[in-house]
DNA sequence: ATGAAAGCGCTAACAA
DNA sequence: TTGTTAGCGCTTTCAT
């Protein structure tokens, strides 16, 4: 009777069955050049007969590379990061790597724990979108990593990938202008966030190029939620001159969706009375009424690009730069065209 | 000069520094009972001095447990599975395990590849939501696993976790009835899917309990998309008697959202002219107009429960049963109350 | 209470 | 072209 093995087949089992040595098996499987036809055949036969699958733990241990990549994001249930995760996972799979995914739930303590788990799992590299704008201890993280998000600005010596906010804002300003909204108001994120500064900087730069005085722009601060957008819009509506069309550029879609709600609550219509432009491209924007015109961040592309960058980093050719993924305009129904033939709307706007 | 080590600290480094043997370090870290105060202290000091972190690959190799769990789902960017992933990741982290996440993108070939990756990574267990309703080769998968989704019916010998569809449907039928819609129409998924049969079975059972003839119910088949829902609703609208209130129960939120669009396109109003009830609880339902009343599946709970079940499975006490997670009703604005004081609506309904 | 030593499955350097 | 051997870092007997 054969050895009663409930265990998985190892390379030794294969070797025995094929009547060769471990190394020969390893060589065949690794695609070494100098192998006899016969040996290769016998090995392959033995592999399928035993159902052998290499043990990545052992491989990793010996080679020093675990074949694992780590992804740490604030919230996997947020559609943007879910997209990032999908892009990253896809690219990782293409490179033959598996992805360890951690959602820190906006909790720095959890984040730290996840980073520790990554180190202990000996991942070959990590992709991190820190919860806070700065994450100390990252400099001695001890392995290659790439950053996502605005936090990257705090780590100039690290590669990072993110949306091209400046280009996205320009896209937004242009479509606004093309619809006759030369001086939109803005609903921005909280002052404490780096992302807000980045958005604002892009607006200012665009204004300078267009010879508009940035100081003449109305801005409201809020937090990045539906409620926040609703409140900010209400404030905007109070201050706005009656009968004049109002255009609002929101720094995120959730706030834009809240803004639409506020417009409806005020007895006004979107886009007839107020135009709203979002930023993010979350799926829900497609189902609001009106459907939200917005600037879409390409989360999936960000995810895949991050993995590519990480490979550069791992290969020891660190670019130490930021890669900007362009945003895309999604035109739906929340923008009125003040320049169209419709004289009523033109009259309302002027 | 000390050894110039660019490598990570190993248990030997710690042992040397603490002036003890490997085994003592392992014992201290493993929490063995018989350890001298002094040894423990020295070890802990050495650990923090060297920044030692256990190598999970080595641990896994030795102990036979990698500390890894696998999750394979059709689409991580779908909010339901993103929620599942979050719940699973959370629970896994609590148990000190890391989660390998794979999105098969509805592609059986990718799915198979991911399953192989799991085996090679020597995960301690896997959670799988198969792309197809049946996945062959799963019986000799070679490691503990738990299933998610309707496919579980094809594997009676496997533990599985899923939403309590029957209870959810009952919830929906009850709220419909409470609003005066005794005989709603249905938009169901494609005939090829097991999920459709399960939904239909629940409806029939409910009808029998309520003494309604199931044959009297209008049903439309479609696929689980916005477009599909839109088309099915158009068909329903054509057949409906004018002036009579129509209530429709959709088997998924995407279709329900499409149905709302179709109602608007037909120049009708929701909920005044037609009531729509969804099923899933996707975030977008909160932003449609009207906001969608729906039955919410608890993806997060499903994810965490799956991990718990998996642990049972791994511990060798297989329950081999299906766990049903209850659904929850989210009342928003897509249901008209035909029984309310409003006589206009009552008149419209009768 | 502690140390020595074996070995998990694999790769790579060295022999043959 | 192939086989032998020495570890990778850790846990776990078995001695002491």
């Amino acid at each position: 009777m054969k050895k009663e093995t409930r265990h998985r087949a190892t390379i030794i089992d294969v070797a025995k069955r094929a009547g060769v040595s471990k190394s020969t098996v390893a060589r065949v499987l690794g695609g070494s050049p100098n192998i006899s036809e016969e040996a290769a055949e016998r090995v392959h036969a033995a592999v399928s007969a035993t159902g052998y699958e290499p043990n990545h733990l052992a491989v990793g241990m010996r080679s020093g590379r675990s074949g694992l990549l780590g992804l740490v994001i604030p919230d996997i249930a947020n559609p943007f990061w879910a997209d990032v995760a999908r892009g990253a996972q896809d690219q990782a799979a293409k490179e033959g790597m598996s992805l360890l995914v951690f959602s820190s739930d906006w909790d720095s303590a959890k984040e730290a724990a996840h980073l520790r788990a990554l180190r202990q799992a000996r991942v070959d590299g990590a992709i991190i979108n820190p919860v806070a704008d700065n994450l100390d201890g990252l400099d001695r993280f001890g392995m290659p990593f790439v950053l996502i998000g605005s936090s990257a600005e705090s780590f100039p010596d690290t590669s990072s990938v993110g949306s091209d906010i400046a280009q996205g804002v320009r896209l937004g300003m242009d479509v606004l202008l093309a619809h006759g909204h030369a001086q939109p108001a803005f609903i921005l994120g909280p002052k404490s966030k780096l992302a807000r500064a980045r958005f604002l900087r892009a607006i200012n730069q665009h204004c300078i190029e267009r010879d508009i005085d940035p100081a003449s722009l109305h801005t409201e601060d809020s937090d990045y939620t539906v409620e926040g957008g609703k409140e900010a819009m209400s404030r905007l509506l109070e201050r706005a001159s009656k009968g004049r069309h109002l255009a609002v550029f929101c720094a995120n879609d959730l706030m834009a969706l809240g803004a639409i709600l506020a417009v409806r609550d005020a007895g006004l219509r979107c886009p007839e009375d107020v135009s709203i432009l979002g930023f993010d491209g979350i799926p829900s924007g497609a189902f609001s009424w009106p459907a939200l015109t917005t600037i879409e961040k390409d989360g999936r592309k960000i995810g895949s690009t991050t993995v590519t960058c990480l490979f550069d980093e791992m290969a020891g050719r660190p670019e130490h730069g930021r890669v900007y993924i362009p945003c895309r305009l999604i035109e739906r129904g929340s923008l009125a065209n003040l320049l169209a033939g419709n004289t009523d709307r033109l009259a309302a706007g002027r």
Side-chain angles (χ1 to χ4, degrees), chain A residues 251-267:
Chain A
N252 112 340
D253 276 356
L254 247 26
M255 293 196 295
L257 256 13
I260 290 181
L261 260 30
V263 168
R264 200 146 60 208
D265 284 354

Side-chain angles (χ1 to χ4, degrees), chain A residues 173 176 181-189 191 196 199-200 203-204 207 212-222 232-242 244-251 275:
Chain A
M173 297 299 276
L176 248 14
H181 312 290
Q183 293 218 340
F186 297 87
I187 297 182
L188 304 174
K191 286 223 166 59
R196 180 187 186 277
F199 202 92
L200 203 48
I203 296 169
N204 286 336
C207 284
I212 303 172
D213 177 15
S216 70
L217 265 23
H218 245 310
T219 69
E220 279 288 338
D221 293 346
S222 185
M233 184 47 122
S234 305
R235 274 175 271 149
L236 232 36
L237 251 22
E238 274 173 28
R239 271 200 249 161
S241 24
K242 294 270 172 231
R244 182 185 186 124
H245 190 94
L246 178 65
V248 182
F249 192 172
C250 301
S275 289

Side-chain angles (χ1 to χ4, degrees), chain A residues 138-253:
Chain A
L138 215 50
D139 35 346
R140 331 159 234 126
F141 183 49
M143 67 178 82
F145 67 97
V146 174
L147 253 25
I148 297 180
S150 37
S151 4
E153 308 203 341
S154 314
F155 295 90
D157 290 347
T158 309
S159 288
S160 70
V161 179
S163 297
D164 193 340
I165 302 293
Q167 172 262 356
V169 168
R170 218 177 308 127
L171 222 51
M173 297 299 276
D174 284 346
V175 69
L176 248 14
L177 194 63
H179 284 69
H181 312 290
Q183 293 218 340
F186 297 87
I187 297 182
L188 304 174
K191 286 223 166 59
S192 59
K193 290 287 191 179
L194 235 39
R196 180 187 186 277
R198 199 133 55 92
F199 202 92
L200 203 48
R201 201 183 314 142
I203 296 169
N204 286 336
Q205 190 175 333
H206 188 270
C207 284
I208 289 164
E209 283 169 17
R210 289 274 192 278
D211 245 345
I212 303 172
D213 177 15
S216 70
L217 265 23
H218 245 310
T219 69
E220 279 288 338
D221 293 346
S222 185
D223 56 3
Y224 288 121
T225 63
V226 176
E227 255 335 289
K230 212 166 157 181
E231 287 163 13
M233 184 47 122
S234 305
R235 274 175 271 149
L236 232 36
L237 251 22
E238 274 173 28
R239 271 200 249 161
S241 24
K242 294 270 172 231
R244 182 185 186 124
H245 190 94
L246 178 65
V248 182
F249 192 172
C250 301
N252 112 340
D253 276 356

